[in-house]
Amino acid sequence: MEKTVDVSIHVVDRTRGYMQVADALRREIHRLDLPKGARLPSERELAQQLRISRPSLREALIVLELQGEIEIRVGSGIYLKRDAVDEGADAGTPDADAEHGIALMGHSPKDVNQTRYFLEGGVAAHAARFITREQLKVLGDSVDAMRQAVSMRDRTGDKPLANADRLFHVTLSSTTRNRLLIQTLEELFDQRYTPIGDSMHRLFDTESVWLDAVREHQEIYDAVATRDPLQAQAAMYRHLMRAHARLMAVIG
């Protein structure tokens, strides 16, 4: 008889959900009893076996890669780096350990992106109405900096791009003059520098991805510069939806 999979992950607290998904995924990998170096089932198959969404699975895969248990090769697949997971993994992770893990790893990228979606659309619309000439110049300069950084990416890496990206979004939030909102958006954006956020961007931020992001930032800038709140909001929504879709690209 086929062994059933623990599906308690469907009712967990979302603030630490991906750590519990990672534990369920670890148990499933152990059940498969694969040798070191073996290719795991595809993302689609694993998601179906665990009865979870692809975004939730993607985050769990990143956790296991950070823990040295698997290797993700974009365009190729997922490979086991250890012969078998310790039997102790079947016991599950205590709540305290899950909370500690989330503090170390960072918040769920999909939750971060969703929160930014809720907040930054309104911020973009507000900026189109109230941005100052000086703020608009900083906004335009940040898009130019992103464009230049893409052309120098082979030499400088992604940090200048990420810094210019951050400046763009922080500048938009500064138009609200709401310190709490500005701080919240800064902290949300900086989740990309946590282990799980950084690993996800490292795997999936290609030159093509950054070129798309630059075009999307230009669209937001154009809408803000022409003082069109609805278009600014729509452009921000498109950008964040596409950015999340890019992080969810198929591994292989």
Side-chain angles (χ1 to χ4, degrees):
M1 177 180 293
E2 183 178 343
K3 183 178 179 180
T4 59
V5 177
D6 179 8
V7 295
S8 61
I9 54 177
H10 293 290
V11 293
V12 299
D13 180 350
R14 284 181 61 83
T15 61
R16 59 179 187 272
Y18 74 81
M19 294 297 292
Q20 294 187 357
V21 173
D23 286 336
L25 176 60
R26 185 183 292 108
R27 291 193 294 270
E28 178 65 11
I29 292 173
H30 177 73
R31 186 185 71 81
L32 294 172
D33 197 25
L34 299 171
K36 179 179 179 180
R39 188 178 188 275
L40 271 62
S42 69
E43 272 192 319
R44 184 181 300 277
E45 292 172 298
L46 288 171
Q48 289 175 345
Q49 289 169 21
L50 291 171
R51 288 186 276 177
I52 57 175
S53 68
R54 295 279 289 280
S56 294
L57 176 68
R58 171 62 55 80
E59 292 173 354
L61 288 168
I62 296 294
V63 170
L64 295 194
E65 184 180 55
L66 286 168
Q67 293 173 343
E69 297 180 17
I70 63 171
E71 179 183 359
I72 298 172
R73 303 176 194 170
V74 179
S76 176
I78 312 153
Y79 296 83
L80 192 63
K81 293 183 71 173
R82 298 177 182 173
D83 286 322
V85 181
D86 293 338
E87 291 289 340
D90 284 292
T93 302
D95 284 350
D97 288 347
E99 290 175 357
H100 181 63
I102 199 78
L104 292 175
M105 290 285 182
H107 288 287
S108 156
K110 72 178 189 306
D111 286 355
V112 169
N113 194 75
Q114 185 182 55
T115 306
R116 288 184 61 192
Y117 182 91
F118 291 148
L119 295 178
E120 291 200 67
V123 167
H126 181 278
R129 296 180 60 198
F130 298 107
I131 196 166
T132 66
R133 184 175 300 177
E134 293 76 16
Q135 290 169 329
L136 187 62
K137 183 180 186 306
V138 174
L139 198 68
D141 288 346
S142 66
V143 178
D144 291 340
M146 286 184 69
R147 190 173 288 110
Q148 182 178 5
V150 171
S151 66
M152 301 175 63
R153 185 170 177 264
D154 289 343
R155 287 175 286 167
T156 61
D158 284 347
K159 187 173 182 180
L161 274 160
N163 289 342
D165 188 6
R166 185 183 192 279
L167 177 60
F168 181 92
H169 290 272
V170 169
T171 300
L172 285 175
S173 68
S174 71
T175 67
T176 67
R177 298 185 181 181
N178 181 321
R179 188 58 227 166
L180 178 59
L181 180 59
I182 294 168
Q183 182 179 340
T184 299
L185 289 174
E186 287 175 345
E187 291 175 354
L188 285 169
F189 192 91
D190 289 344
Q191 283 291 312
R192 71 173 293 141
Y193 302 113
T194 62
I196 188 169
D198 183 66
S199 291
M200 192 165 280
H201 283 281
R202 174 180 51 81
L203 284 166
F204 303 106
D205 280 358
T206 63
E207 182 172 343
S208 175
V209 163
W210 277 115
L211 286 171
D212 286 342
V214 171
R215 284 191 289 270
E216 290 158 16
H217 282 77
Q218 184 67 54
E219 290 175 0
I220 298 168
Y221 171 84
D222 290 343
V224 170
T226 56
R227 309 286 178 172
D228 190 330
L230 290 179
Q231 285 301 320
Q233 185 177 52
M236 179 62 77
Y237 284 154
R238 287 195 299 270
H239 166 56
L240 292 175
M241 289 176 63
R242 291 169 181 171
H244 182 67
R246 288 190 286 266
L247 289 183
M248 293 298 116
V250 175
I251 287 174

